[in-house]
Amino acid sequence: MALSLMPRIVPQTKDVCKGAVFFLHGSGDTGIGIQDWLRSILDDDFKFPHLKVIFPTAPLRPYTPNNGGKSYVWFDRKNISPFVSEHETLDETAKSLSQLIQTEVDGGIPLSRIIIGGFSMGGAMSYHMAYRYFPQVPGVFALSSFLNNGSSVFKALETVSDKSKLPKLFCCHGDLDQLVLPEWGLNTSKQLQDIGISTEFHKFNFYHEMNFKEISMLREWILKLIPENSSQL
């Protein structure tokens, strides 16, 4: 099942791989698409000396906001809004992504050296993967993303006794975003912070997009969580 996610991989630039970053694209995009987008922003691949970067592609499925037309999306939803319920397809995709992550673990990379994140819907999916399925990872990033009100992520975190060990959160959002309103992203970040999660939230003067400064900050944050000279593996 995980093979259907067709991951595109950017290998580490040095000989030894000491960790992995999963970068999930937004709705209607693909793993190749977001890899190319990052390359156009950075004028190079989004890469690390010691970490591989994995860009899966979401399943092709009917998508309600697209009038039911098929699109590469991690899950269906009634509307792009935090005021609707989460769709059952979210957990279906989580199973496939879990297999993909487990493949890296089976290959020798511990969860303590895997980071999960994404842009827009990819960030929303990453919240679920990190806080519901793989809370052992050190961090999760969400760029221009939000969780639905009453999300199963919040419900799952209520049962965690020691929240200090939960993944750290890095969020960015454009304050001109008209598709995913910045207050939706900020509200998600604040709710998770109130639960006890270590969070960062950065606003930029742009729309529903990514930019150089944002990705540079993300790269620095990843390197703090999984430094190249770390002896763990």
Side-chain angles (χ1 to χ4, degrees):
M1 181 67 172
L3 292 176
S4 66
L5 299 183
M6 302 178 292
R8 170 64 71 89
I9 299 174
V10 175
Q12 74 282 356
T13 59
K14 293 190 175 179
D15 291 338
V16 180
C17 180
K18 298 182 178 179
V21 178
F22 282 83
F23 204 128
L24 310 186
H25 62 78
S27 59
D29 202 352
T30 62
I32 294 174
I34 197 165
Q35 179 194 0
D36 287 346
W37 188 7
L38 287 165
R39 186 185 294 127
S40 71
I41 293 170
L42 301 172
D43 200 26
D44 198 357
D45 276 315
F46 185 63
K47 59 187 179 182
F48 299 85
H50 59 308
L51 308 173
K52 68 172 70 173
V53 184
I54 302 170
F55 298 95
T57 292
L60 182 63
R61 58 162 48 101
Y63 186 46
T64 301
N66 192 33
N67 295 317
K70 288 188 176 181
S71 187
Y72 290 104
V73 290
W74 301 109
F75 51 86
D76 193 13
R77 53 188 168 191
K78 294 179 181 178
N79 195 9
I80 303 174
S81 166
F83 308 110
V84 297
S85 60
E86 291 175 335
H87 198 276
E88 61 187 12
T89 51
L90 195 154
D91 287 331
E92 294 173 7
T93 300
K95 293 178 182 178
S96 295
L97 280 170
S98 294
Q99 291 177 28
L100 206 58
I101 293 168
Q102 188 60 47
T103 296
E104 296 303 317
V105 175
D106 293 343
I109 298 177
L111 286 172
S112 61
R113 299 187 67 83
I114 292 176
I115 288 175
I116 308 170
F119 174 74
S120 194
M121 178 185 275
M125 190 73 222
S126 298
Y127 279 129
H128 287 266
M129 296 310 301
Y131 293 122
R132 294 178 56 207
Y133 291 88
F134 294 98
Q136 306 95 321
V137 301
V140 56
F141 61 92
L143 313 179
S144 304
S145 307
F146 69 95
L147 283 172
N148 298 59
N149 295 344
S151 169
S152 53
V153 169
F154 302 129
K155 296 174 182 177
L157 292 174
E158 290 174 358
T159 65
V160 177
S161 55
D162 186 0
K163 296 180 174 61
S164 65
K165 296 181 180 179
L166 288 168
K168 298 181 184 300
L169 174 61
F170 179 89
C171 297
C172 295
H173 217 113
D175 58 9
L176 302 177
D177 195 335
Q178 297 297 306
L179 181 64
V180 175
L181 301 184
E183 53 263 37
W184 297 351
L186 181 59
N187 184 55
T188 294
S189 176
K190 284 184 174 179
Q191 287 188 70
L192 292 171
Q193 185 176 44
D194 289 344
I195 286 172
I197 290 169
S198 173
T199 66
E200 294 183 31
F201 187 90
H202 305 277
K203 289 181 70 174
F204 296 90
N205 187 38
F206 59 57
Y207 295 89
H208 193 66
E209 55 189 313
M210 300 185 293
N211 74 0
F212 182 85
K213 184 176 181 180
E214 173 190 39
I215 299 304
S216 298
M217 290 174 63
L218 171 62
R219 191 176 189 280
E220 291 175 5
W221 177 81
I222 290 172
L223 286 170
K224 287 179 182 178
L225 291 182
I226 313 180
E228 182 181 357
N229 58 5
S230 172
S231 60
Q232 298 179 13
L233 191 56

